[in-house]
Amino acid sequence: MTVKIKPAKGSPYARILGVGGYRPQQVVPNEEILKHIDSSDEWIRSRSGIATRHWAGPDETVTEMTLSAAGKAIADAGLTADQIDAVVISTVSHFKQTPSVATEIAHRLGAGKAAAFDISAACAGFGYGLTIAKGLVVEGSARHVLVVGVERLSDLTDLTDRSTAFLFGDGAGAVVVGPSDEPHIGPTVWGSEGDKADAITQTVPWDDYRDSTVEKFPAIRQEGQTVFRWAVFEMAKVAQQALEAAGITADDLDVFIPHQANMRIIDSMVKTLKLPEHVAVARDVEFTGNTSAASIPLAMERMLATGQAKSGDTALVIGFGAGLVYAAAVVTLP
Amino acid sequence: MAHTSEQVLEGLADIVNEIAGIPTEDVQLDKSFTDDLDVDSLSMVEVVVAAEERFEVKIPDDDVKGLKTVGDAVDYILKHQG
């Protein structure tokens, strides 16, 4: 017998209510990287714009970094942990796959029996998580959703690979998404291009270790030119589509927060998108390196903390990375 | 319409000038992009994309590595232009 099923009662719209970040204590300058590769500070800066990155110490685990960032985001939202109904964590560098990080976070935060799960969407992880969170809030399965991007990419860095040794950093960035009477998160333009899976990959799959002689821990390897071309020119189109989907133009933007992969990508995207001068552009990569899923919320937090952006500003966020995957949306800053 | 060798060189010189700030007169057939003109691997991608648009050619990533000199790029574009 087919019966009429009562749907959940969601909010008409959703918004980002708060943001928080955690950067590990150890700041690693380019000089430290140069102990392992034949390069120079000038070369690294000219190719990437990166001057420093943060590396996590033994106690700065994925879990601990997440707890710190999440606590700040919940406080920034004016909430307490018991008001969080769902925890969504994006990471590619948590090496214990079962159970998920999210369940431990929900428990230790004091979020009761919040739904909790991890997602794997690399550097697009924040946008993927944000989209899931918005859906949960609007559909009604959750009222407040914690979304965290967290990485310890130093664990997946080959310090002898002169094309990637300087790129990656560690950290966590979190937001809380909750109900709103007005739309403050625009439509997500997202997708995947699995035909370009080789452009950014983990060098060795974990199961190769089971009974083989593989000795070197895996690292992230990428085809620099392929990624650069895709990130700048294809992602500029995606960014443009996200603006159009939200019914605005670049002139209406206050802030642009692209994934902090590389300053050259950011600069070229800004040029390709012809962003007006008044748009503040996130350039946290200089200080934090590429922290994959954590980079957008970390950059958002820094811009709000330093006054480069303010609450209520209209921002375009776009993440892109291994998969290849991407996600872009216009949001109102918390 | 097919471009002549001179037109392609001139167009490439404009592109390299705009992207890397190299004087157009320095962009000669025998010059190496990296060694002589200081066009790094990422700027090279921007040069290639601009050249694709200007000359209506497709230059896949795998072929970009083979374009060592300005002359290599001119030859490639002449051979592949629509």
Side-chain angles (χ1 to χ4, degrees), chain A residues 239-240 242-255 273-276 278-279 314 316 330:
Chain A
Q240 189 62 46
L243 290 175
E244 288 164 13
I248 68 169
T249 69
D251 285 336
D252 300 317
L253 279 180
D254 301 306
V255 182
L273 280 167
K274 299 186 173 66
L275 289 186
H278 73 262
V279 178
T314 300
L316 171 62
V330 174

Side-chain angles (χ1 to χ4, degrees), chain A residues 46-48 223-229 232-233 262 264 268 271, chain B residues 19 40-46 48-49 52 59-61 64-65:
Chain A
S46 74
R47 276 6 178 240
S48 69
E223 303 287 341
Q225 285 185 318
T226 301
V227 173
F228 182 80
R229 186 198 285 223
V232 172
F233 298 101
N262 178 317
R264 294 283 293 275
S268 294
K271 201 167 74 176
Chain B
I19 288 168
D40 70 25
S41 64
L42 301 185
S43 292
M44 190 63 195
V45 174
E46 295 184 275
V48 163
V49 172
E52 284 186 336
I59 311 176
D61 292 324
V64 173
K65 295 175 180 65

